[in-house]
């Protein structure tokens, strides 16, 4: 199937028409005709998890901010985004944002950093969100807010000079070449990992003092926590066996529990990964990126550099180690699990199904609905294996008009416990509130997955929905973004 064959979601007028398209694609995706409202509806129902009673099933994903200040404090743009998270009506704010535990771990020079100097301003972000939520929903009952803690590992870019400053766990034969890593790139020693765990513990203590109810120990999207899980070739106590590759998580949990006994924890996990993709080098259509194709892995079989990956065919999944990891998560007393897939840096169609690629990406190699189904099925299968864990799913934005119909169906059928929204709330933050109140969807505000919210930050611009949010659409950076996209097509 080629790009031009994909049916645009907005052309499908009814849930029946959407299901007909799913049938054409061979996808058994649940989709309800009528979406309920109020606390008796599947999406409006409470969810009890450990000490929490979460007021509904909508959740906000932790989106990495590119709009903080250079010192790691929130900017007015950051505060505006968090206010919108509160206005959304979602009762689970999963991490709010990826916050670096120290300066060198930032993925961009405008990422928030949990330092002593920044603690008060990160606390104020939470207060802004709570106040907005009360404004939108009348009170803050059932609202649960966490903070995602991270170190960006091989994707670190902490300083405002435009260069990556990676710190890795092992040499990756494809990613090292793809991202031009030098022979002398910094490789973490075991001692440095132990020191980093101490930094996480300090950051968790600060998050607790700020009023956050849990911290997310990020293990996704190719960042450091995720890289531990594929560090089979690493020697020492943090590589090789699965026991060693999960030592980082186990030590994090032990350290945080010792310092902040009442702090709850969650894990956002890339449950499966594929080999890195690249634009088809044989693509010959002018002014258009090529479709994504797998990078050359023939000489790397069995493929040892992914997690949840079929080692003999690394464009497919093998969830055996994913299930083993979740056994560790369960043994640690962690109940909150947020499932995502792949990495937006090297296989974005897996992570964020979209019709239009970012400027440094490739055309979708499959109908994006196939990617959405991969997300839904992965969470479904893991939920069946671990019914005692509370799962939050990802990948819903591409559903657009039919997001509520599918979200309600998968919650009703027990495929997931919570529905996580990312890009959609940049374009249409109050979608959950509209759905829960039974108000009609505002179609003009729906994210159409133009990927400008990725292209902009990848080129040093702030986070936001440039096509639909007037705050960004009317900004000077919109002109720059248009120029960047045009140049990418001509490259």
């Amino acid at each position: 199937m080629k790009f031009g064959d994909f049916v645009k979601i907005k052309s499908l007028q009814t849930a029946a028409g959407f299901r007909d398209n799913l049938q054409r694609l061979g996808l058994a995706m649940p989709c309800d005709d009528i979406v309920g409202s109020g606390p008796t509806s599947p999406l409006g129902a409470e969810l009890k998890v450990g000490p929490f009673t979460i007021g509904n099933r909508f959740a906000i994903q932790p989106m990495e901010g590119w709009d903080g200040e250079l010192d790691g404090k929130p900017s007015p743009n950051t505060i505006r985004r968090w206010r919108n998270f509160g206005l959304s009506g979602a009762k689970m704010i999963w991490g709010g944002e990826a916050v670096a535990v120290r300066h060198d771990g930032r993925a961009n020079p405008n990422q928030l950093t949990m330092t002593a100097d920044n603690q008060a301003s990160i606390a104020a972000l939470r207060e802004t969100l709570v106040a907005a939520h009360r404004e939108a929903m009348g009170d803050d009952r059932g609202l649960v807010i966490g903070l995602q803690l991270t170190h960006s590992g091989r994707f670190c870019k902490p300083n405002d000079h435009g260069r990556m400053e990676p710190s890795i766990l092992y040499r990756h034969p494809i990613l090292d070449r793809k991202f031009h890593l030098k022979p002398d790139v910094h490789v973490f020693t075991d001692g440095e990992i132990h020191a980093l765990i101490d930094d996480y513990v300090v950051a968790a203590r600060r998050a607790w003092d700020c009023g956050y109810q849990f911290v997310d120990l990020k293990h996704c999207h190719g960042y450091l926590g995720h890289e531990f899980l594929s560090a089979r070739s690493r020697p020492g106590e943090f590589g090789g066996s699965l026991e060693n590759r999960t030592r980082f998580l186990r030590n994090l949990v032990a350290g945080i529990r010792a310092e902040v006994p009442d702090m709850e924890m969650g894990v956002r996990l890339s449950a499966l990964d594929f080999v890195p993709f690249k634009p088809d080098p044989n693509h010959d259509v002018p002014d258009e990126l090529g479709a994504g194709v797998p990078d050359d892995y023939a000489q790397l079989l069995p493929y040892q550099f992914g997690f949840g990956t079929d080692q003999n065919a690394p464009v497919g999944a093998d969830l055996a180690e994913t299930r083993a990891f979740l056994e560790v998560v369960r043994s640690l007393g962690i109940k909150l699990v947020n499932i995502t897939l792949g990495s937006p840096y090297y296989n974005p169609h897996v992570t964020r199904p979209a019709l239009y690629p970012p400027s440094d990406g490739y055309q979708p190699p499959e109908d994006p609905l196939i990617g959405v189904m991969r997300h839904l099925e992965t969470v479904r299968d893991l939920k069946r294996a671990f019914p005692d864990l509370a799962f939050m799913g990802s990948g819903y934005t591409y559903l657009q008009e039919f997001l509520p119909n599918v979200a309600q169906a998968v919650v009703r059928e027990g495929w997931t416990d919570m529905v996580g929204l990312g890009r959609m709330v940049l374009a249409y933050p109050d979608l959950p509130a509209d759905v829960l109140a039974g108000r009609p969807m505002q179609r003009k505000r729906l994210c159409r997955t133009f990927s400008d919210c990725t292209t902009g930050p990848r080129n040093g611009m702030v986070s936001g929905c440039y096509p639909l949010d007037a705050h960004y659409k009317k900004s000077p950076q919109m002109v720059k973004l248009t120029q960047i996209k045009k140049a990418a097509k001509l490259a």
Side-chain angles (χ1 to χ4, degrees):
M1 182 176 289
K2 298 179 180 179
F3 175 74
D5 297 329
F6 302 153
V7 174
K8 292 184 178 181
I9 300 298
K10 66 179 181 181
S11 71
L12 303 170
Q13 298 299 310
T14 64
F18 180 72
R19 283 195 299 271
D20 286 345
N21 188 51
L22 292 174
Q23 185 175 18
R24 182 181 68 88
L25 294 169
L27 302 177
M29 184 184 297
C31 176
D32 286 350
D33 279 310
I34 299 172
V35 178
S37 60
T40 60
S41 69
L43 292 172
E46 291 183 344
L47 176 66
K48 295 185 183 297
V49 185
F52 303 137
T53 299
I54 303 165
N56 60 47
R57 303 308 181 93
F58 278 115
I60 305 301
Q61 298 283 13
M63 289 172 281
E64 178 186 311
W66 295 69
D67 58 6
E69 306 291 358
L70 292 177
D71 61 2
K73 291 185 175 67
S75 72
N77 278 325
T78 317
I79 295 166
R80 181 180 182 271
R81 279 194 300 109
W82 278 60
R83 173 172 164 74
N84 282 342
F85 296 162
L87 294 174
S88 73
K91 290 292 188 179
M92 165 58 83
I93 310 298
W94 186 292
E97 184 142 357
V99 177
V101 300
R102 66 189 198 196
H103 174 81
D104 71 295
R106 301 166 92 188
N108 70 82
N110 297 98
Q111 188 170 25
L112 301 189
T113 314
M114 180 54 93
T115 65
D117 289 342
N118 297 349
Q119 182 173 335
S121 60
I122 293 175
L125 272 182
R126 179 190 169 278
E127 294 163 6
T128 295
L129 189 156
V130 172
H133 189 82
R134 290 171 179 158
E135 175 186 329
M137 306 301 287
D139 57 53
D140 60 3
R141 287 179 298 175
L143 178 63
V144 176
I145 307 174
L147 196 70
Q148 185 180 72
L149 301 180
T150 187
H151 186 290
S152 295
R154 99 172 27 244
F155 299 110
C156 289
K157 191 178 181 181
N159 297 305
D160 192 26
H161 52 45
R163 296 192 302 275
M164 301 291 289
E165 299 178 50
S167 292
I168 63 174
L169 297 173
Y170 65 91
R171 303 307 303 248
H172 190 300
I174 298 178
L175 294 180
D176 286 8
R177 167 173 46 82
K178 182 178 180 69
F179 295 104
H180 312 293
L181 268 62
K182 297 179 180 178
D184 61 350
V185 64
H186 176 246
V187 180
F188 272 105
T189 66
D190 286 356
E192 289 170 333
I193 293 170
H194 284 292
L196 176 62
I197 290 170
D198 292 340
D199 293 331
Y200 268 83
V201 172
V202 171
R205 170 85 251 183
R206 289 174 177 152
W208 177 258
D209 291 342
C210 289
Y212 292 93
Q213 294 152 282
F214 72 95
V215 289
D216 171 30
L217 306 176
K218 186 176 187 178
H219 277 65
C220 64
H221 295 169
Y223 296 113
L224 191 70
H226 188 205
E227 187 158 281
F228 274 103
L229 301 182
S230 59
R232 296 178 183 83
S233 61
R234 180 186 171 88
E237 59 182 310
F238 291 98
S241 68
L242 184 64
E243 179 181 4
N244 284 356
R245 287 181 277 130
T246 59
R247 192 180 307 278
F248 177 68
L249 174 64
R250 289 184 283 113
N251 287 6
L252 277 181
V253 172
I256 292 170
R257 287 246 168 85
E259 176 65 23
V260 200
D262 294 331
M263 171 68 85
E264 294 295 317
M265 285 168 267
V267 174
R268 189 170 200 213
L269 171 69
S270 281
L272 61 83
D273 204 4
F274 290 172
V275 70
F277 273 59
K278 63 183 180 181
D280 185 350
N282 298 315
H283 182 74
D284 58 2
V285 178
D287 299 343
E288 185 181 286
L289 292 165
V293 295
D295 211 314
D296 183 18
Y297 59 82
Q299 304 304 314
L300 300 174
L301 297 178
Y303 188 76
Q304 299 290 309
F305 308 102
F307 176 75
T309 313
D310 184 336
Q311 294 186 11
N312 296 312
V315 291
D318 180 348
L319 296 180
E321 278 204 333
T322 307
R323 290 189 289 269
F325 176 82
L326 290 177
E327 292 281 8
V328 174
V329 167
R330 180 160 62 185
S331 74
L332 294 170
I334 294 173
K335 296 289 187 182
L336 293 166
V337 181
N338 182 344
I339 296 297
T340 180
L341 309 177
S343 168
Y345 288 97
Y346 53 81
N347 44 36
H349 76 281
V350 176
T351 307
R352 299 170 180 160
L355 192 59
Y356 305 95
S359 61
D360 59 352
Y362 45 78
Q363 294 290 350
E366 61 188 11
D367 190 301
L369 285 171
I370 295 173
V372 175
M373 191 64 182
R374 185 182 294 117
H375 276 272
L376 301 183
E377 289 180 323
T378 301
V379 178
R380 177 200 65 192
D381 293 349
L382 295 174
K383 178 65 182 178
R384 288 174 179 172
F386 298 90
D388 53 319
L389 301 184
F391 282 88
M392 175 174 157
S394 307
Y396 289 89
T397 289
Y398 185 73
L399 295 169
Q400 300 166 59
E401 278 87 349
F402 304 102
L403 189 159
N405 307 69
V406 174
Q408 176 175 283
V410 293
V411 169
R412 178 179 50 75
E413 294 191 12
W415 286 28
T416 190
D417 297 294
M418 291 172 282
V419 172
L421 302 182
R423 294 169 294 168
M424 182 62 79
V425 294
L426 296 179
Y428 183 1
D430 39 346
L431 182 150
D434 282 350
V435 171
L436 293 166
R439 294 188 289 264
M441 294 270 285
Q442 301 176 50
R443 294 188 65 188
K444 291 183 178 180
R445 301 179 67 193
L446 289 169
C447 172
R448 300 299 182 184
T449 66
F450 293 120
S451 293
D452 288 357
C453 57
T454 300
T455 295
R458 292 275 173 85
N459 288 275
M461 299 164 61
V462 300
S463 311
C465 180
Y466 287 86
L468 298 178
D469 186 338
H471 180 76
Y472 300 97
K473 190 172 185 176
K474 295 180 180 179
S475 71
Q477 292 201 334
M478 183 63 179
V479 177
K480 179 182 176 183
L481 178 65
T482 302
Q483 294 170 342
I484 289 168
K485 292 172 68 175
K486 182 178 180 180
K489 287 184 176 181
L490 296 175

